[in-house]
Amino acid sequence: MRTVYRFSVAPYLPPELADLGTLAYNLWWSWNPDAIQLFLRLDRDLWEETGHNPVAMLGRVSQHRLEELAKDEAYLHSLGSVMERFREAMDRGRSLGHDNDFMVAYFALEFGIHEALPVYSGGLGVLSGDYLKAASEIGLPLVGVSLLYREGYFRQYLTSDGWQQETYPDNDFYNMPLLPVKDADGSDLVIPVEFPDHTVYAKVWKVQVGRTSLILLDCNIEQNSVEAREITAQLYGGDLEMRIRQEYLLGIGGVEVLKKLDIHPTVYHMNEGHSAFLGLKRIQDLMAETGMSFSEAREACAAGNVFTTHTPVPAGIDKFPPALMDRYFWKYREEVGISRDDFLALGREHPENHEEPFSLAVLAIKLSNWYNGVSRLHGRVSRHMWRHIWPGVPEDEIPITHITNGVHINSWVSPELGQLLDRYLGPRWREFSEQSQVWDYMDRIPNAELWRTHERRRERLVAFARLRLKNQLIKRGATEEEIKIAEEVLDPDALTIGFARRFATYKRAILIFRDPDRLARILGDPERPVQMIFAGKAHPRDNEGKEFIRRLVQFARDERFRLRVVFLEDYDMNVARYMLQGVDVWLNTPRRPLEASGTSGMKAAANGALNFSTLDGWWAEGFEPDVGWSIGKGEEYEDLEYQDLVEAQALYDTLESDIVPVYYDRGHDGIPRRWVYKMKQALKKLAPQFNINRMALEYMEKLYRPASARWHEISADSFSMAKRLHAWKGRLAAAWPHVRITDLVVDHPDHVVVGQQVGVRCHVHLAGLSPDDVKVQALSGPVDVHGSLVNPGVFELKPEKDLGDGVWLYSGQLEATTSGQQGMALRVVPFSDMIPYLHSTGLIKWA
């Protein structure tokens, strides 16, 4: 029956419990155990039934129970204590001492804050969610922007043979911790987003994450056609056209909603390329406001745009065929006055290749001044991957930096460990978790206390895994015998290894099963047993990933592994917490260098679990022998089959010769002292470094402050600097084909001794440019066997004399600092005080 009128019903809370409603709608509760306890004490079973969702829970808890607690002095005291800390955090928390007009808009296609808000898929979303929490904690002025998905990401279940199936239950937004944003007249705020041939309407919602707001756009409203409503139906669902519609809504609509809400960011952060269309929208708006040309507005907007890439392979980037871009941006091109070729060149590494698809990552790079990868290794990989955008520039000078990811410690540390840290480290570890000196007190914790705490968490994980496995089997229609066995799987005292992540093939979830017989001997050792818990989802269209899950489930049913290997269905943040907080070892087996960063291992380390991984992503910079183990030494292979063979053997060898013996090496009191030492070292060294607060502070100093300062500089005086910069680049483009270096003379060309000065002179044809427009540089250093310079030093040559006809004499002195075969190269690069970094033009001329 179709409704004729809709209204929402809120629970009636007695006045004494009114603060519970305030807490329920601010996800600050999700990383504060005392706040979670308030909801648990209402009704523990209902807390589980509602998926740890306090809004849904308050709508279902009995009025009798609420009235009962309204008279419970102990409960009211706990509520008052939590609210005191909540208000302290909201009103007088940390602040970065920023300017009043400083604001970051952080765009991402997904945000994983808590399982009560299931609009996330995996690592990218959880990182974005953790980032909002960090912004709240450290006082970073930031607003998140994303989409609100009716079905969120899929729920996973397995068939009887282990093949993944997907279901898409609808989200009930009115029973989730978010609220519709209201317009001035009190009605729900709905914004129009102009698609090229029609208007799509988006309802605006807000999620409060401590002091940070997340704005979400929802197309499932009556003003839209059935087709338009589907834009926000599923995260990563649909075909290529659905993807471009979602990303159009995120980028174009995201900028539009911020204007409507009177939020004026000085920095726009594109977290992955999904939101890159925001750069086009900002240019269009600035042209309308100021009358600038497209190129001038592009210069201005790039000043405040930051792009973070999370993808180490080009195949992982969203790319659209030119015809699809024509369909969605023909009107945009006409309105901003640029040609089809010039528009498509914005998304191409090789603009002259008219068959090349349009890449959102390339668009994000070309519309930004600031770029980074998400680990040290990924920064290097990204500079190589995008080198064609800066042709001729040495890879190590390509201006893509790195800021290694981190995790929100308070969200992932178990309550039991948190209480132990409170006692011995004091409360500062919660507020200033990125400060290493806070963690120096780890050695104060008695070995026995840390180990007993960890054992309780492992026992809790085993109980959780048994119950979840039993429920999986019941839903699948398993036999009574199978269900009975589920109650006996795993040993609360055995060495427990966890593996949980997206089942992409490069992560090689089943590498450890390459030699089943050898693995069976390791797991089945009666004196030193080992067990494994797996979880994770494959993308619905990734049949290879699904096959990995199927094979894994088949292994788990093998008699040799039945009691020692478990696969938990429907991986989400709740399952992740149980596993990360309860395992002894966190296993990760990606093919280097395909893991951009990874964060699950960081969360495990924050709970004292020891990482065992290939040296890829964050572990390539986090690994030390006293905090975990590596698989291999960072080798990269062309023969993938051989790589699997070598690394599987290395995995087994390390398990047998090191990990298992250290775990079972117990003193008279049953404490594995060497293992506990490594746990403490992991917490001490990894928790402050691979930390979302450290990460946010690093973004602030390396990218946000410079970007905001440059935006203010370039927008001052009616954007006069942007106009001057555009004119300068025009002169540069006209002259550059004719710039060249000739008549090079080097003193002592054959034999030089260490410490000797080497004179260099050359003629530079500037083709009408001024010496102020360029830098002439000599690069000098050792030469490898291929004749290439290795880590050269850079020395500037100075203009010495105008020789006429646009030719200048440049000279300088190089110093030979090391012996051996040395080499030198000369180049001219454009330079101006107006550019943000040396290679921002992408132009370079080598001698």
Side-chain angles (χ1 to χ4, degrees), residues 782-827:
V783 177
D784 65 17
V785 294
H786 305 291
S788 299
L789 291 173
V790 179
N791 298 320
V794 179
F795 306 88
E796 287 193 22
L797 305 185
K798 300 299 182 183
E800 188 174 304
K801 186 178 181 180
D802 183 352
L803 302 178
D805 294 328
V807 181
W808 282 77
L809 172 65
Y810 277 77
S811 66
Q813 295 286 325
L814 309 183
E815 182 177 352
T817 57
T818 59
S819 62
Q821 187 69 34
Q822 304 281 304
M824 185 186 69
L826 258 63
R827 70 187 184 190

Tab-separated table of all heavy atoms in Angstrom, residues 782-827:
chain	number	residue	atom	x	y	z
A	782	PRO	N	77.847	10.216	-9.327
A	782	PRO	CA	78.334	8.937	-9.854
A	782	PRO	C	77.509	8.469	-11.037
A	782	PRO	O	76.330	8.801	-11.182
A	782	PRO	CB	78.187	7.986	-8.659
A	782	PRO	CG	78.080	8.876	-7.470
A	782	PRO	CD	77.438	10.133	-7.915
A	783	VAL	N	78.157	7.672	-11.884
A	783	VAL	CA	77.507	7.117	-13.067
A	783	VAL	C	77.418	5.603	-12.920
A	783	VAL	O	78.400	4.949	-12.550
A	783	VAL	CB	78.306	7.479	-14.334
A	783	VAL	CG1	77.681	6.829	-15.566
A	783	VAL	CG2	78.367	8.978	-14.512
A	784	ASP	N	76.228	5.035	-13.194
A	784	ASP	CA	76.096	3.583	-13.091
A	784	ASP	C	76.562	2.909	-14.381
A	784	ASP	O	77.028	3.573	-15.321
A	784	ASP	CB	74.659	3.188	-12.735
A	784	ASP	CG	73.648	3.550	-13.820
A	784	ASP	OD1	74.067	3.804	-14.971
A	784	ASP	OD2	72.439	3.558	-13.523
A	785	VAL	N	76.431	1.589	-14.448
A	785	VAL	CA	76.941	0.835	-15.599
A	785	VAL	C	76.201	1.168	-16.882
A	785	VAL	O	76.682	0.890	-17.982
A	785	VAL	CB	76.850	-0.686	-15.326
A	785	VAL	CG1	77.778	-1.087	-14.203
A	785	VAL	CG2	75.412	-1.102	-15.013
A	786	HIS	N	75.008	1.775	-16.761
A	786	HIS	CA	74.242	2.138	-17.949
A	786	HIS	C	74.522	3.573	-18.382
A	786	HIS	O	73.906	4.060	-19.329
A	786	HIS	CB	72.745	1.978	-17.682
A	786	HIS	CG	72.364	0.605	-17.212
A	786	HIS	ND1	72.421	-0.497	-18.036
A	786	HIS	CD2	71.939	0.160	-15.998
A	786	HIS	CE1	72.035	-1.578	-17.356
A	786	HIS	NE2	71.741	-1.203	-16.128
A	787	GLY	N	75.424	4.244	-17.666
A	787	GLY	CA	75.749	5.622	-18.012
A	787	GLY	C	74.805	6.648	-17.427
A	787	GLY	O	74.852	7.833	-17.791
A	788	SER	N	73.951	6.252	-16.490
A	788	SER	CA	72.984	7.165	-15.878
A	788	SER	C	73.520	7.694	-14.556
A	788	SER	O	74.216	6.985	-13.812
A	788	SER	CB	71.651	6.446	-15.633
A	788	SER	OG	71.105	5.988	-16.854
A	789	LEU	N	73.168	8.949	-14.271
A	789	LEU	CA	73.561	9.542	-12.992
A	789	LEU	C	72.803	8.881	-11.851
A	789	LEU	O	71.617	8.569	-11.963
A	789	LEU	CB	73.265	11.042	-12.993
A	789	LEU	CG	74.135	11.914	-13.915
A	789	LEU	CD1	73.611	13.339	-13.937
A	789	LEU	CD2	75.580	11.889	-13.465
A	790	VAL	N	73.505	8.690	-10.726
A	790	VAL	CA	72.908	8.074	-9.544
A	790	VAL	C	72.893	9.113	-8.423
A	790	VAL	O	73.936	9.605	-7.997
A	790	VAL	CB	73.698	6.831	-9.100
A	790	VAL	CG1	73.071	6.227	-7.845
A	790	VAL	CG2	73.766	5.804	-10.222
A	791	ASN	N	71.697	9.460	-7.934
A	791	ASN	CA	71.539	10.433	-6.843
A	791	ASN	C	72.436	11.660	-7.047
A	791	ASN	O	73.267	12.007	-6.200
A	791	ASN	CB	71.869	9.780	-5.490
A	791	ASN	CG	70.941	8.641	-5.171
A	791	ASN	OD1	69.739	8.718	-5.428
A	791	ASN	ND2	71.483	7.566	-4.614
A	792	PRO	N	72.265	12.353	-8.182
A	792	PRO	CA	73.158	13.478	-8.455
A	792	PRO	C	72.862	14.683	-7.565
A	792	PRO	O	71.742	14.881	-7.119
A	792	PRO	CB	72.852	13.803	-9.919
A	792	PRO	CG	71.425	13.381	-10.100
A	792	PRO	CD	71.270	12.149	-9.249
A	793	GLY	N	73.899	15.479	-7.347
A	793	GLY	CA	73.703	16.782	-6.740
A	793	GLY	C	73.294	17.778	-7.807
A	793	GLY	O	73.629	17.629	-8.985
A	794	VAL	N	72.549	18.799	-7.405
A	794	VAL	CA	72.064	19.813	-8.350
A	794	VAL	C	72.749	21.134	-8.030
A	794	VAL	O	72.711	21.598	-6.880
A	794	VAL	CB	70.536	19.971	-8.281
A	794	VAL	CG1	70.060	21.039	-9.263
A	794	VAL	CG2	69.853	18.630	-8.589
A	795	PHE	N	73.381	21.752	-9.047
A	795	PHE	CA	74.093	23.025	-8.882
A	795	PHE	C	73.550	24.015	-9.901
A	795	PHE	O	73.363	23.676	-11.063
A	795	PHE	CB	75.599	22.835	-9.101
A	795	PHE	CG	76.217	21.769	-8.256
A	795	PHE	CD1	76.244	20.439	-8.678
A	795	PHE	CD2	76.767	22.082	-7.024
A	795	PHE	CE1	76.803	19.457	-7.896
A	795	PHE	CE2	77.332	21.096	-6.234
A	795	PHE	CZ	77.351	19.784	-6.663
A	796	GLU	N	73.319	25.226	-9.464
A	796	GLU	CA	72.807	26.239	-10.378
A	796	GLU	C	73.953	26.985	-11.046
A	796	GLU	O	74.937	27.359	-10.397
A	796	GLU	CB	71.918	27.235	-9.629
A	796	GLU	CG	70.576	26.638	-9.244
A	796	GLU	CD	69.590	27.713	-8.799
A	796	GLU	OE1	69.785	28.890	-9.164
A	796	GLU	OE2	68.645	27.357	-8.076
A	797	LEU	N	73.811	27.193	-12.342
A	797	LEU	CA	74.707	28.058	-13.087
A	797	LEU	C	74.088	29.449	-13.141
A	797	LEU	O	72.856	29.591	-13.214
A	797	LEU	CB	74.933	27.529	-14.503
A	797	LEU	CG	75.448	26.085	-14.623
A	797	LEU	CD1	75.736	25.757	-16.086
A	797	LEU	CD2	76.678	25.869	-13.779
A	798	LYS	N	74.918	30.459	-13.119
A	798	LYS	CA	74.433	31.834	-13.060
A	798	LYS	C	74.609	32.532	-14.411
A	798	LYS	O	75.591	32.291	-15.119
A	798	LYS	CB	75.205	32.616	-11.992
A	798	LYS	CG	75.060	32.041	-10.589
A	798	LYS	CD	73.614	32.058	-10.117
A	798	LYS	CE	73.479	31.531	-8.687
A	798	LYS	NZ	72.067	31.472	-8.252
A	799	PRO	N	73.654	33.423	-14.764
A	799	PRO	CA	73.825	34.189	-16.006
A	799	PRO	C	74.991	35.178	-15.847
A	799	PRO	O	75.010	35.982	-14.925
A	799	PRO	CB	72.488	34.907	-16.164
A	799	PRO	CG	71.917	34.973	-14.786
A	799	PRO	CD	72.409	33.751	-14.074
A	800	GLU	N	75.939	35.081	-16.763
A	800	GLU	CA	77.148	35.906	-16.643
A	800	GLU	C	77.155	37.065	-17.632
A	800	GLU	O	77.619	38.166	-17.323
A	800	GLU	CB	78.382	35.030	-16.868
A	800	GLU	CG	79.702	35.712	-16.582
A	800	GLU	CD	80.854	34.738	-16.690
A	800	GLU	OE1	80.819	33.691	-15.989
A	800	GLU	OE2	81.777	35.001	-17.477
A	801	LYS	N	76.602	36.850	-18.846
A	801	LYS	CA	76.699	37.893	-19.865
A	801	LYS	C	75.619	37.691	-20.923
A	801	LYS	O	75.347	36.579	-21.351
A	801	LYS	CB	78.083	37.840	-20.527
A	801	LYS	CG	78.355	38.973	-21.504
A	801	LYS	CD	79.771	38.849	-22.054
A	801	LYS	CE	80.072	39.986	-23.022
A	801	LYS	NZ	81.450	39.887	-23.576
A	802	ASP	N	75.000	38.796	-21.327
A	802	ASP	CA	74.045	38.794	-22.435
A	802	ASP	C	74.837	38.872	-23.732
A	802	ASP	O	75.498	39.877	-24.016
A	802	ASP	CB	73.106	39.990	-22.308
A	802	ASP	CG	72.027	40.009	-23.383
A	802	ASP	OD1	72.103	39.177	-24.312
A	802	ASP	OD2	71.112	40.863	-23.309
A	803	LEU	N	74.793	37.821	-24.531
A	803	LEU	CA	75.569	37.760	-25.769
A	803	LEU	C	74.790	38.264	-26.970
A	803	LEU	O	75.313	38.256	-28.088
A	803	LEU	CB	76.024	36.309	-26.026
A	803	LEU	CG	76.870	35.668	-24.920
A	803	LEU	CD1	77.197	34.221	-25.281
A	803	LEU	CD2	78.136	36.467	-24.677
A	804	GLY	N	73.549	38.697	-26.749
A	804	GLY	CA	72.732	39.220	-27.831
A	804	GLY	C	71.915	38.152	-28.517
A	804	GLY	O	72.174	36.945	-28.409
A	805	ASP	N	70.847	38.589	-29.199
A	805	ASP	CA	69.942	37.683	-29.925
A	805	ASP	C	69.332	36.619	-29.011
A	805	ASP	O	69.094	35.477	-29.427
A	805	ASP	CB	70.667	36.999	-31.084
A	805	ASP	CG	71.092	37.991	-32.166
A	805	ASP	OD1	70.366	38.988	-32.347
A	805	ASP	OD2	72.137	37.753	-32.773
A	806	GLY	N	69.116	36.980	-27.740
A	806	GLY	CA	68.466	36.057	-26.813
A	806	GLY	C	69.368	34.987	-26.266
A	806	GLY	O	68.887	34.029	-25.646
A	807	VAL	N	70.697	35.120	-26.460
A	807	VAL	CA	71.637	34.122	-25.979
A	807	VAL	C	72.377	34.675	-24.765
A	807	VAL	O	72.864	35.805	-24.768
A	807	VAL	CB	72.651	33.727	-27.069
A	807	VAL	CG1	73.615	32.664	-26.541
A	807	VAL	CG2	71.935	33.232	-28.321
A	808	TRP	N	72.470	33.849	-23.728
A	808	TRP	CA	73.166	34.235	-22.495
A	808	TRP	C	74.275	33.236	-22.189
A	808	TRP	O	74.123	32.033	-22.437
A	808	TRP	CB	72.195	34.272	-21.311
A	808	TRP	CG	71.342	35.514	-21.285
A	808	TRP	CD1	70.253	35.784	-22.047
A	808	TRP	CD2	71.537	36.652	-20.436
A	808	TRP	NE1	69.735	37.013	-21.737
A	808	TRP	CE2	70.507	37.578	-20.737
A	808	TRP	CE3	72.464	36.982	-19.440
A	808	TRP	CZ2	70.383	38.802	-20.097
A	808	TRP	CZ3	72.340	38.200	-18.803
A	808	TRP	CH2	71.321	39.096	-19.128
A	809	LEU	N	75.373	33.776	-21.646
A	809	LEU	CA	76.454	32.938	-21.149
A	809	LEU	C	76.172	32.609	-19.696
A	809	LEU	O	75.968	33.515	-18.881
A	809	LEU	CB	77.802	33.668	-21.264
A	809	LEU	CG	78.996	32.970	-20.594
A	809	LEU	CD1	79.295	31.644	-21.283
A	809	LEU	CD2	80.230	33.884	-20.588
A	810	TYR	N	76.139	31.302	-19.366
A	810	TYR	CA	75.964	30.836	-17.986
A	810	TYR	C	77.238	30.129	-17.551
A	810	TYR	O	77.893	29.444	-18.358
A	810	TYR	CB	74.785	29.868	-17.881
A	810	TYR	CG	73.432	30.534	-17.742
A	810	TYR	CD1	72.805	31.107	-18.845
A	810	TYR	CD2	72.782	30.592	-16.519
A	810	TYR	CE1	71.561	31.709	-18.732
A	810	TYR	CE2	71.536	31.196	-16.384
A	810	TYR	CZ	70.928	31.744	-17.490
A	810	TYR	OH	69.703	32.346	-17.355
A	811	SER	N	77.583	30.277	-16.266
A	811	SER	CA	78.777	29.598	-15.763
A	811	SER	C	78.592	29.228	-14.298
A	811	SER	O	77.710	29.759	-13.605
A	811	SER	CB	80.015	30.492	-15.919
A	811	SER	OG	79.904	31.643	-15.092
A	812	GLY	N	79.451	28.308	-13.846
A	812	GLY	CA	79.415	27.903	-12.448
A	812	GLY	C	80.561	26.983	-12.125
A	812	GLY	O	81.316	26.568	-13.011
A	813	GLN	N	80.719	26.684	-10.858
A	813	GLN	CA	81.792	25.807	-10.385
A	813	GLN	C	81.179	24.596	-9.674
A	813	GLN	O	80.375	24.756	-8.755
A	813	GLN	CB	82.704	26.554	-9.397
A	813	GLN	CG	83.466	27.720	-9.998
A	813	GLN	CD	84.597	27.253	-10.887
A	813	GLN	OE1	85.228	26.239	-10.627
A	813	GLN	NE2	84.859	27.997	-11.963
A	814	LEU	N	81.554	23.400	-10.104
A	814	LEU	CA	81.162	22.179	-9.420
A	814	LEU	C	82.345	21.676	-8.609
A	814	LEU	O	83.492	21.854	-9.002
A	814	LEU	CB	80.751	21.091	-10.418
A	814	LEU	CG	79.727	21.454	-11.496
A	814	LEU	CD1	79.420	20.222	-12.323
A	814	LEU	CD2	78.469	22.016	-10.865
A	815	GLU	N	82.064	21.035	-7.495
A	815	GLU	CA	83.133	20.462	-6.691
A	815	GLU	C	83.042	18.942	-6.739
A	815	GLU	O	81.973	18.363	-6.506
A	815	GLU	CB	83.045	20.923	-5.237
A	815	GLU	CG	84.184	20.384	-4.375
A	815	GLU	CD	84.137	20.902	-2.949
A	815	GLU	OE1	83.315	21.801	-2.670
A	815	GLU	OE2	84.908	20.397	-2.119
A	816	ALA	N	84.157	18.291	-7.074
A	816	ALA	CA	84.206	16.834	-7.081
A	816	ALA	C	84.337	16.341	-5.653
A	816	ALA	O	85.369	16.544	-5.011
A	816	ALA	CB	85.382	16.353	-7.929
A	817	THR	N	83.288	15.728	-5.118
A	817	THR	CA	83.283	15.344	-3.705
A	817	THR	C	83.627	13.884	-3.472
A	817	THR	O	83.992	13.498	-2.364
A	817	THR	CB	81.903	15.633	-3.093
A	817	THR	OG1	80.906	14.924	-3.842
A	817	THR	CG2	81.592	17.126	-3.126
A	818	THR	N	83.493	13.031	-4.500
A	818	THR	CA	83.816	11.611	-4.339
A	818	THR	C	84.617	11.143	-5.532
A	818	THR	O	84.579	11.759	-6.610
A	818	THR	CB	82.538	10.752	-4.229
A	818	THR	OG1	81.756	10.931	-5.418
A	818	THR	CG2	81.721	11.136	-3.009
A	819	SER	N	85.345	10.052	-5.336
A	819	SER	CA	86.145	9.504	-6.422
A	819	SER	C	85.311	8.530	-7.246
A	819	SER	O	84.183	8.192	-6.889
A	819	SER	CB	87.377	8.793	-5.850
A	819	SER	OG	86.974	7.708	-5.028
A	820	GLY	N	85.886	8.068	-8.349
A	820	GLY	CA	85.205	7.119	-9.216
A	820	GLY	C	84.656	7.792	-10.451
A	820	GLY	O	84.820	8.992	-10.673
A	821	GLN	N	83.979	6.997	-11.273
A	821	GLN	CA	83.420	7.518	-12.518
A	821	GLN	C	82.283	8.487	-12.207
A	821	GLN	O	81.317	8.147	-11.527
A	821	GLN	CB	82.901	6.359	-13.375
A	821	GLN	CG	82.459	6.754	-14.765
A	821	GLN	CD	83.615	7.162	-15.654
A	821	GLN	OE1	84.702	6.608	-15.521
A	821	GLN	NE2	83.406	8.110	-16.540
A	822	GLN	N	82.422	9.721	-12.691
A	822	GLN	CA	81.430	10.762	-12.438
A	822	GLN	C	80.859	11.250	-13.768
A	822	GLN	O	81.484	11.119	-14.822
A	822	GLN	CB	82.067	11.948	-11.704
A	822	GLN	CG	82.752	11.585	-10.390
A	822	GLN	CD	81.769	11.396	-9.259
A	822	GLN	OE1	80.977	12.280	-8.958
A	822	GLN	NE2	81.820	10.236	-8.611
A	823	GLY	N	79.705	11.830	-13.683
A	823	GLY	CA	79.081	12.380	-14.873
A	823	GLY	C	78.366	13.671	-14.569
A	823	GLY	O	78.191	14.055	-13.398
A	824	MET	N	77.955	14.367	-15.631
A	824	MET	CA	77.255	15.632	-15.451
A	824	MET	C	76.216	15.782	-16.550
A	824	MET	O	76.403	15.304	-17.686
A	824	MET	CB	78.240	16.797	-15.514
A	824	MET	CG	77.612	18.156	-15.225
A	824	MET	SD	78.782	19.506	-15.472
A	824	MET	CE	78.969	19.447	-17.235
A	825	ALA	N	75.095	16.412	-16.226
A	825	ALA	CA	74.070	16.742	-17.213
A	825	ALA	C	73.627	18.181	-16.964
A	825	ALA	O	73.670	18.669	-15.830
A	825	ALA	CB	72.881	15.790	-17.089
A	826	LEU	N	73.241	18.875	-18.045
A	826	LEU	CA	72.776	20.262	-17.934
A	826	LEU	C	71.321	20.342	-18.373
A	826	LEU	O	70.900	19.623	-19.309
A	826	LEU	CB	73.626	21.185	-18.816
A	826	LEU	CG	74.691	22.027	-18.105
A	826	LEU	CD1	75.714	21.118	-17.456
A	826	LEU	CD2	75.337	22.996	-19.075
A	827	ARG	N	70.587	21.241	-17.739
A	827	ARG	CA	69.190	21.421	-18.115
A	827	ARG	C	68.733	22.848	-17.850
A	827	ARG	O	69.340	23.573	-17.062
A	827	ARG	CB	68.294	20.452	-17.339
A	827	ARG	CG	68.184	20.776	-15.859
A	827	ARG	CD	67.433	19.685	-15.115
A	827	ARG	NE	67.245	20.023	-13.704
A	827	ARG	CZ	66.786	19.167	-12.782
A	827	ARG	NH1	66.483	17.915	-13.129
A	827	ARG	NH2	66.625	19.537	-11.529
